[in-house]
Each structure stands twice: as structure tokens, then as C-alpha cells.
Amino acid sequence: QLQLVESGGGLVQPGGSLRLSCAISGFTLDYYGIGWFRQAPGKEREGVSCITNSGGGTKYADSVKGRFTISRDNAKNTVYLQMNSLKPEDTAVYYCAAHPFIATTLCLMTDKYPYWGQGTQVTVSS
């Protein structure tokens, strides 16, 4: 079965950085596009960033563009989300999700992903 496990969350001060990791098992990562999503208390889950199976296409939410970078290492079956210049509004549970051969134009849509991790908490506070 396909499994995704997030790690790297924690407490960080505003302006700080964190790198989240999403480890996939059960299937080779080379066949899957990966999205990062987040859900803050009282808010709907939103797309943050996504990357195609080949790594050639990426997309970012306007709120994180220029601060977050998504990347993948298919040999390690791992996708990363480097988060810089963190703001309190970035506080949320962050989830990674997988979809086979997802197109860049659709990869921030929550309902396109059949496989999800359990999430990792990111808290940005002074």
C-alpha cells in the first residue's frame, strides 16, 4: 500500500526556516506527483505547493511564493518543502499527498489527491 509520512515540523520564530520531508513507501516516487497542503485552526485545507512526477513542473500558492521551495529526490523516495521567512500565518498542520501523473495546472486541488499523510505541525510564534 502507498504510504506517506511527513516530518520536520516544529516550533520556529517568525523569520526562521524549516524543511519538511515527505517519505513515500509502497510505490516508487517517480510515478507520482506530490502536493503539500496545510490546514490552520478554523480554516479549510489549502494547497501550498506541488511538484510533478518528473520534477519539471512546480506550483505555489501566492501566499508562499518566493519563500517556500518544493523539491524531490526520487532516489530517496522523498519530497521536501523548504520554508523560509516563516510568518505566524504559516502556522498549520502540513500534509503531503500523492497522485499519479498529476498535471501542474491541477496539483493544488485537494480533491485530486487519493493518498495522504498524517500531517506534521508547524508553529510560527515569537
Side-chain angles (χ1 to χ4, degrees), residues 9-74:
L11 175 64
V12 65
Q13 294 183 350
S17 298
L18 285 173
R19 188 179 71 168
L20 305 183
S21 298
C22 176
I24 186 171
S25 62
F27 295 90
T28 177
L29 184 60
D30 190 58
Y31 298 132
Y32 290 85
I34 301 294
W36 283 99
F37 300 81
R38 67 186 182 187
Q39 187 166 21
K43 295 185 177 181
E44 297 294 317
R45 189 170 298 184
E46 64 174 341
V48 176
S49 183
C50 48
I51 188 167
T52 61
N53 61 314
S54 67
T58 60
K59 191 174 183 179
Y60 298 89
D62 289 342
S63 60
V64 306
K65 195 172 299 181
R67 299 188 297 120
F68 291 11
T69 303
I70 191 170
S71 62
R72 64 191 297 158
D73 187 339
N74 287 359

Side-chain angles (χ1 to χ4, degrees), residues 4 14 36 43 50 55 57 65 79 82 105-107 111 119-120 123:
L4 303 101
W36 283 99
K43 295 185 177 181
C50 48
K65 195 172 299 181
V79 173
Q82 178 66 46
T105 54
L106 304 176
C107 67
D111 60 359
T120 184
T123 302

Side-chain angles (χ1 to χ4, degrees), residues 37 97-100 102-103 106-116:
F37 300 81
H99 189 284
I102 192 167
L106 304 176
C107 67
L108 287 181
M109 300 178 66
T110 302
D111 60 359
K112 300 298 182 181
Y113 288 82
Y115 307 108
W116 292 81

Side-chain angles (χ1 to χ4, degrees), residues 6-10 20-21 36 92-95 118-122:
E6 303 92 338
S7 63
L20 305 183
S21 298
W36 283 99
V93 176
Y94 283 71
Y95 301 87
Q118 294 297 311
T120 184
Q121 177 70 48
V122 172

